[in-house]
Amino acid sequence: MTMDVRAVLEFATVTRGLSLVLQAVLNAAIPDHDADAFRPPRTEEPLYLDSAVEWLLGGLSHWDAEHFLFIAERGYLYEHNFAFFPLYPVVLRGLAETLLWPLSSWLSVRGRLLVAVALGNTALFLLSVVALHALSRIVLQDRRLALLSSLLYCITPANVFMTAGYSESLFAALTFGGLFLLEKGFTFRACLALSIATAARSNGLVNIGFLLYLPSLHAISQICVYRMTTKGHSKVFHYIWVIIRLLLTSLLGTAIIALPFCAFQYYGYRTFCTPSFSLERIPPALLTLAERKGYRVPDENGPPPLWCMRPLPLLYSHIQDVYWDVGFLRYFELKQIPNFILALPMATLGIMAAYAYFQANPELCLRLGLWETGAHKGLDKPIPGMFNPRVFVYVVHSTVLLVFGTLCMHVQVLTRFMASSSPVPFWISAHLLLLNEPLLHRRKTSNPSVQLQTHSRNDCKHTLQNPIIALLPHFTACSPTTQSILGYFLSYWVLGLAMHCNFLPWT
């Protein structure tokens, strides 16, 4: 394990521990808001330690986390539960029934699921940090930028969603890990990782773009090599083989990544359109909740819902439309201005990344980064840093997420939507810090009293092992850019815990 990875893991462990402690304190200190949220009744008798676990970890179960916990305990009972994909509930139930099974005499299923949230998301976040650092090193080709990006990820503005019972940590670990494998050329393993990510969140389908783009980039590079080194008819056969292999890889990989989404939609169709489930099998308390709230449940004796009659009966689209009112420009209302303000910092980072990259590489962007104007060597040895050619597809991916999230989603979720799916917000933030913060430069600053210590006992390269911790004591002496970025990350890090854990509206 390198010193950089150790430093990132240590910082991630500290921030995870602080998050768990802070959510417990803030949840106990601030009364819960009486929000109109999904709160199913408890149908299981509490055991000895349930009240203690609820007091310590209850803040992790609010808002959408309640859906995941309910699915892990009861399965997909209500129609709107199908907005939440199955992998994360399966992971939680698996932990509750295996690792935490010895506690079954003291903790109910609900209590063990809460403990599984705390332990599982901590482990998954650590995995996502390691995956992001590895991906950053191979793409950015810049050790300091990769380290700083990963450290910023440890204090992500989406912190509460990485800690609470949400699938963000799981999705980030699988996505960053899958993209790292794809960059290394392990295409089949990458497809498997990205496919599993699609079983956690629907936007895993967008990762198909990486599968189509990166192998195409590699194929063009191979064609350039063949053109320069091969002569005669064998050159044509090489071209044909490269194209056939690219098509097969793209088709098979797309099918693998999309399979979990299709299978889940088919499961939803069978559950509600051809049900084999009677209302008598539903606990009375849960059936009463469905009747009071208007939740649809599968009933073999009732008529099928109208969406079953559509040419393409996608339950996910129906839920987003009817239950969440998600659609093109539907959120563009005056009363939603506060939510647009909440999403503005993350949107700003995405816009800055796209604009700065285009300004630095206009020709590369216009030719979609698919070939070099000169020799192919530029693809093998890109310019280190944020603006090298390998970053292009990640900036495009980030921009697509930004545009879609702004125009077609509840805009306040943009923070966690992008922070768990794209490394670009952390890359551009780290780039801006290294560019504008004198205290991070290797040269001495004009004020010796705030000169950061860059020498490490075992590091002959004098690299800062944790520049975030080194900067915080000198926050008032930092540049405005540093104050803005760290202020945004840390304020959302803490405020998210305070708001979300008390049923107050957040991102």
Side-chain angles (χ1 to χ4, degrees):
M1 183 184 295
T2 66
M3 294 184 66
D4 286 353
V5 174
R6 187 180 298 113
V8 169
L9 277 176
E10 289 174 356
F11 193 46
T13 303
V14 169
T15 59
R16 291 310 91 203
L18 282 175
S19 295
L20 290 173
V21 171
L22 277 176
Q23 68 82 27
V25 172
L26 293 169
N27 191 35
I30 303 173
D32 281 355
H33 174 62
D34 187 17
D36 183 20
F38 180 63
R39 295 185 183 182
R42 306 284 183 261
T43 58
E44 189 180 15
E45 287 295 325
L47 299 179
Y48 303 109
L49 297 180
D50 277 327
S51 58
V53 168
E54 189 70 34
W55 185 83
L56 287 172
L57 302 176
L60 304 180
S61 67
H62 294 170
W63 293 113
D64 288 354
E66 192 64 73
H67 287 276
F68 286 111
L69 290 169
F70 179 80
I71 294 166
E73 184 177 359
R74 294 285 176 181
Y76 285 91
L77 178 62
Y78 301 130
E79 187 180 59
H80 66 288
N81 289 148
F82 278 81
F84 305 92
F85 277 48
L87 181 60
Y88 186 61
V90 168
V91 170
L92 292 183
R93 190 59 185 253
L95 287 174
E97 297 296 343
T98 55
L99 183 65
L100 300 175
W101 177 251
L103 299 176
S104 58
S105 299
W106 296 277
L107 280 174
S108 64
V109 174
R110 164 80 180 193
R112 282 181 279 137
L113 287 174
L114 280 176
V115 176
V117 167
L119 296 178
N121 275 5
T122 298
L124 290 167
F125 187 84
L126 296 181
L127 287 174
S128 69
V129 169
V130 173
L132 175 63
H133 182 265
L135 177 65
S136 301
R137 282 296 303 269
I138 195 173
V139 174
L140 299 174
Q141 297 291 304
D142 186 320
R143 178 186 173 188
R144 295 187 80 215
L145 191 56
L147 173 62
L148 188 54
S149 301
S150 304
L151 293 173
L152 285 171
Y153 176 74
C154 294
I155 54 171
T156 171
N159 169 56
V160 66
F161 303 103
M162 300 291 192
T163 309
Y166 282 66
S167 58
E168 267 70 9
S169 289
L170 174 62
F171 183 74
L174 290 167
T175 298
F176 297 152
L179 294 178
F180 169 73
L181 291 172
L182 196 57
E183 288 283 357
K184 292 288 287 184
F186 302 123
T187 305
F188 182 71
R189 278 178 274 182
C191 288
L192 290 180
L194 297 177
S195 176
I196 299 172
T198 307
R201 291 184 61 86
S202 62
N203 58 294
L205 290 173
V206 183
N207 292 329
I208 292 174
F210 288 103
L211 179 69
L212 299 178
Y213 181 84
L214 292 176
S216 298
L217 198 65
H218 180 66
I220 291 174
S221 177
Q222 284 188 319
I223 289 174
C224 291
V225 172
Y226 294 149
R227 187 174 61 183
M228 297 175 61
T229 59
T230 309
K231 297 180 180 180
H233 296 290
S234 60
K235 181 188 296 187
V236 176
F237 291 113
H238 279 304
Y239 291 169
I240 294 174
W241 168 240
V242 168
I243 293 172
I244 291 175
R245 187 169 60 182
L246 174 62
L247 291 174
L248 291 175
T249 300
S250 300
L251 291 173
L252 180 61
T254 298
I256 292 173
I257 294 174
L259 179 62
F261 179 87
C262 298
F264 187 54
Q265 297 313 298
Y266 179 72
Y267 172 61
Y269 177 85
R270 290 297 303 269
T271 300
F272 286 97
C273 300
T274 59
S276 58
F277 196 86
S278 62
L279 298 181
E280 289 77 14
R281 295 169 57 186
I282 302 176
L286 299 179
L287 189 58
T288 300
L289 176 66
E291 294 172 351
R292 181 164 54 88
K293 292 285 190 178
Y295 299 154
R296 181 183 291 276
V297 295
D299 181 12
E300 62 181 356
N301 298 317
L306 293 178
W307 63 266
C308 294
M309 312 303 174
R310 294 176 181 173
L312 187 62
L314 290 180
L315 177 53
Y316 185 76
S317 301
H318 167 74
I319 293 171
Q320 295 296 328
D321 178 31
V322 174
Y323 288 93
W324 311 135
D325 193 30
V326 170
F328 182 65
L329 298 182
R330 289 189 187 181
Y331 225 56
F332 280 69
E333 300 175 324
L334 289 177
K335 66 179 181 180
Q336 302 297 346
I337 288 177
N339 288 322
F340 277 89
I341 293 174
L342 276 177
L344 184 60
M346 182 58 72
T348 301
L349 288 177
I351 293 170
M352 290 179 66
Y355 178 77
Y357 194 87
F358 182 80
Q359 287 290 102
N361 301 289
E363 293 184 4
L364 181 140
C365 293
L366 292 175
R367 63 177 184 268
L368 303 181
L370 287 176
W371 58 84
E372 292 287 339
T373 54
H376 66 281
K377 296 180 180 179
L379 294 175
D380 299 328
K381 297 181 180 180
I383 302 170
M386 177 68 195
F387 301 132
N388 76 70
R390 299 179 77 160
V391 179
F392 171 78
V393 66
Y394 295 90
V395 173
V396 172
H397 173 255
S398 171
T399 305
V400 169
L401 294 180
L402 173 60
V403 173
F404 180 79
T406 302
L407 300 180
C408 302
M409 296 173 60
H410 292 181
V411 72
Q412 68 268 27
V413 308
L414 194 65
T415 302
R416 59 187 173 101
F417 181 59
M418 292 185 63
S420 63
S421 306
S422 172
V424 169
F426 308 102
W427 290 350
I428 188 63
S429 299
H431 170 78
L432 292 172
L433 288 182
L434 290 175
L435 186 66
N436 296 286
E437 180 49 61
L439 296 179
L440 292 178
H441 296 171
R442 289 185 173 87
R443 64 179 182 273
K444 292 184 177 180
T445 64
S446 58
N447 188 352
S449 65
V450 297
Q451 177 67 35
L452 296 184
Q453 178 66 33
T454 61
H455 297 268
S456 176
R457 291 181 180 178
N458 300 317
D459 190 3
C460 62
K461 295 184 179 180
H462 313 300
T463 303
L464 283 172
Q465 289 305 302
N466 196 329
I468 302 297
I469 292 179
L471 283 172
L472 290 180
H474 310 290
F475 186 79
T476 56
C478 292
S479 68
T481 300
T482 301
Q483 292 178 350
S484 299
I485 292 175
L486 292 185
Y488 164 51
F489 275 63
L490 291 173
S491 63
Y492 272 52
W493 193 86
V494 176
L495 280 174
L497 291 170
M499 301 286 283
H500 182 276
C501 293
N502 293 285
F503 271 117
L504 294 166
W506 190 240
T507 65

